[in-house]
Amino acid sequence: MPYSLTHPEFFTITGPQEEQYRGGTQDWYRDVWQRRAGCGPTTAATLLSYLAAAHPSLAPMAPVAGQVQAGFRAYMEEVWRYVTPGARGLDQPESLVLGCRSFALSRGCVLRGRILEVPARRPGRPDPDQCRDFIARALSADCPVAFLNFSNGALKNLDSWHWVPLIAMTEGEDVLLCTVLDEGEEKIIDLALWLDTTLLGGALAMVEPGLEEDAG
């Protein structure tokens, strides 16, 4: 069964020469360190921008002129202040969720987060059905998923130690084909293959509209 977001067109960003990107890219940051370590904040900015456009209660989180490259880059810089990588990058999924929630509160909005960790040790990992259910729940609620992958395993089209937004999923026999946004483009990855072959694991994370009692 396919799962997708209501408005995938919200991810399209127009560059200065009318070129079009799918989501932001960390290469847009001006600082060298930000360009090296900015996949987490970029993913967070992409998720937050979509949520603001798709959910009326979260509209105050929207970037100003966010659908053009210069405007979205400014938005990425704002989000960086809340979703800030450390020496090892943004290597904790909780940091992304808490940073997104803090950014939302700064705009008068409330988010709540969910995380599904994929440990490095194989016996402790969730099975493909658990990953599928996590993603299906998020996408059905019109919320993109943040995918953290410490080791790409057999996935040749995705870097290791990297965050990307996940925006669609299609199930098949022994596969979970997911659409992710990376370097301004859409890519298709097999999450079931990643789950079976990753050496270091990673995590799936989401943020969604919350209630005032979730603000604490």
Side-chain angles (χ1 to χ4, degrees):
M1 178 177 176
Y3 295 87
S4 61
L5 299 168
T6 303
H7 294 285
E9 70 275 11
F10 288 169
F11 292 111
T12 299
I13 299 169
T14 303
Q17 306 302 320
E18 299 301 317
E19 70 274 26
Q20 293 196 328
Y21 303 92
R22 296 293 284 156
T25 170
Q26 66 197 79
D27 290 338
W28 293 348
Y29 282 114
R30 292 184 174 89
D31 181 78
V32 173
W33 167 244
Q34 288 180 306
R35 293 197 295 270
R36 287 182 57 193
C39 59
T42 302
T43 295
T46 302
L47 264 61
L48 291 165
S49 176
Y50 181 87
L51 292 172
H55 298 268
S57 66
L58 302 178
M61 298 193 313
V64 176
Q67 297 310 110
V68 297
Q69 183 181 351
F72 198 82
R73 179 175 60 202
Y75 190 63
M76 287 164 49
E77 297 280 359
E78 290 184 56
V79 172
W80 177 282
R81 296 169 48 212
Y82 297 87
V83 184
T84 309
R88 289 163 49 90
L90 197 74
D91 60 347
Q92 298 294 327
E94 295 84 1
S95 297
L96 183 135
V97 168
L98 291 174
C100 286
R101 294 183 67 199
S102 295
F103 176 85
L105 287 174
S106 76
R107 300 292 183 94
C109 300
V110 178
L111 296 174
R112 59 185 175 187
R114 298 178 186 273
I115 295 170
L116 180 64
E117 296 203 40
V118 180
R121 295 187 61 193
R122 188 175 296 273
R125 291 181 186 174
D127 60 37
D129 285 342
Q130 289 173 286
C131 292
R132 175 250 178 224
D133 290 346
F134 185 94
I135 296 168
R137 181 195 183 284
L139 297 179
S140 297
D142 212 13
C143 300
V145 174
F147 171 40
L148 170 61
N149 126 69
F150 288 127
S151 159
N152 61 3
L155 297 185
K156 302 305 181 184
N157 62 339
L158 195 66
D159 292 336
S160 295
W161 214 271
H162 195 39
W163 283 97
V164 290
L166 189 159
I167 66 168
M169 176 180 69
T170 300
E171 302 174 74
E173 187 174 351
D174 299 323
V175 297
L176 281 177
L177 298 180
C178 297
T179 303
V180 300
L181 305 180
D182 191 22
E183 299 177 340
E185 300 177 350
E186 290 190 6
K187 298 179 179 180
I188 305 295
I189 63 169
D190 181 357
L191 196 69
L193 178 62
W194 174 80
L195 192 64
D196 187 53
T197 60
T198 181
L199 300 177
L200 300 174
L204 298 168
M206 65 169 291
V207 286
E208 61 186 335
L211 304 173
E212 285 196 15
E213 52 263 37
D214 297 317

